Structures are given as structure tokens and as C-alpha cells.
Amino acid sequence: MNFLARIVRFLFWLLVVSWGLRLLRRIVGSMLRNDQPSAPQTTDSADGIPASSAARRLVRDPVCGMHVDETLSIPLRERGELLHFCSPACRDAYAVNVRKLAANG
Ligand SMILES: [Zn+2]
């Protein structure tokens, strides 16, 4: 009889804990959803180019704004950030610009 009462008590707590966890998860989930108000993952989709092109990935040249195939672009690592340029001229222009900005302040 004592053993049976223990099992019943155990099952009761199991039920309470699982219910509480489910409630907690729902509260946390709704909070997380409120923190991110339906922001799309693609940040650079203003010009209507689909970000999920299957084989080739287009990257945007920050100097002239041209979209270049990632494999054909000229990469430049600037402060841990990888940038892509359509030509060495654009890369050099960007480098000069960065150096000018750094010199100004
Ligand atoms: Zn360019």
C-alpha cells in the first residue's frame, strides 16, 4: 500500500513537472518570437535578387554596387569581414577609402 502511494505521488509530480515545462517552453517561445518581429534572414534582398540561388552565389561589390559571382569576385578580408569586389580597381578604391576614413578619425 505504501509502495502504491509512492508510485501515485511520483506519477502526480511527473505530470505536474511535464505540464510546467510545457507551459514554460510556450512562454519562452512566445517571448523569443516577440523579440524578432518577422525579420527575414536575407538582409540584402532589396534589389529583388534571390539569395538562395542553388549553385552560384552572388555577392555585392560595396564600391560600385555590382553583383558578382562569388567564385569570380576578388575577395578582401577587412577586419575579419570578407568583402567581394568585381575588379581589382574596386578593391583598391575601397582600400584607399578605408585608409582615408581611418586617417580622418
Ligand atoms: Zn566594382
Side-chain angles (χ1 to χ4, degrees), residues 61 64 86 90:
D61 182 329
C64 65
C86 67
C90 275

Side-chain angles (χ1 to χ4, degrees), residues 10-89:
F10 173 72
L11 285 176
F12 171 72
W13 278 113
L14 201 71
L15 200 74
V16 168
V17 167
S18 71
W19 178 80
L21 280 177
R22 209 181 303 165
L23 193 73
L24 198 73
R25 207 177 296 169
R26 199 181 296 176
I27 289 169
V28 169
S30 69
M31 273 165 68
L32 286 176
R33 235 170 286 147
N34 285 347
D35 282 349
Q36 299 166 338
S38 68
Q41 288 190 340
T42 51
T43 51
D44 197 6
S45 61
D47 35 22
I49 288 176
S52 58
S53 41
R56 310 203 301 161
R57 234 188 90 199
L58 288 178
V59 288
R60 193 170 168 276
D61 182 329
V63 173
C64 65
M66 203 175 119
H67 284 86
V68 204
D69 194 311
E70 195 180 19
T71 54
L72 302 172
S73 69
I74 288 129
L76 174 72
R77 193 167 281 281
E78 181 70 31
R79 286 173 211 172
E81 212 180 349
L82 192 60
L83 299 161
H84 300 270
F85 300 89
C86 67
S87 65

